[in-house]
Amino acid sequence: AGARANVGVSKGRYMFEVKIVEFVNVAEANHQSHASNAVRVGFSTQGSSLVLGSGAENICFDSAGAILHNDAHIGAGAECGRDSIMTVLLNLDKDSPNF
């Protein structure tokens, strides 16, 4: 399942967070040998692919601890699981010291 906001941003700073409230064991439910739960949180341009991390017009962090951009996966942090909160910040403020 996926979701996409329909509000554009052009300046300022934007942050949102997602709390993982449940991980279903997909392998047991589908009688497969491995589970594949994934949460991706990020930003994209209006015309980009709906799959975050799959193109140059979007970027995201996933629950496995990777940054995904333009089909590249870069290990960056710890895995997230049940009751984890994932937060993402987009800083478009050019006068910010963190720009």
Side-chain angles (χ1 to χ4, degrees), residues 2 5 13 18 20 29 41 45 50 52-53 60 63 70-72 75-76 86 89 96:
R13 286 177 259 186
V18 175
I20 301 171
V41 181
T45 61
L50 294 176
L52 284 175
C60 70
S63 55
N70 208 17
D71 283 327
M86 297 175 65
L89 170 72
S96 170

Side-chain angles (χ1 to χ4, degrees), residues 23-81:
F23 262 132
V24 176
N25 190 335
V26 179
E28 287 179 7
N30 294 326
H31 306 291
Q32 297 174 346
S33 62
H34 69 284
S36 66
N37 287 298
V39 176
R40 291 182 177 181
V41 181
F43 291 94
S44 65
T45 61
Q46 183 177 8
S48 73
S49 167
L50 294 176
V51 179
L52 284 175
S54 65
E57 298 83 24
N58 55 57
I59 189 167
C60 70
F61 301 89
D62 73 4
S63 55
I67 297 173
L68 291 83
H69 174 67
N70 208 17
D71 283 327
H73 295 214
I74 301 167
E79 289 189 24
C80 298

Side-chain angles (χ1 to χ4, degrees), residues 2-19:
R4 187 175 191 165
N6 60 358
V7 176
V9 297
S10 60
K11 62 182 179 176
R13 286 177 259 186
Y14 301 87
M15 182 179 80
F16 64 93
E17 59 187 26
V18 175
K19 181 175 183 178

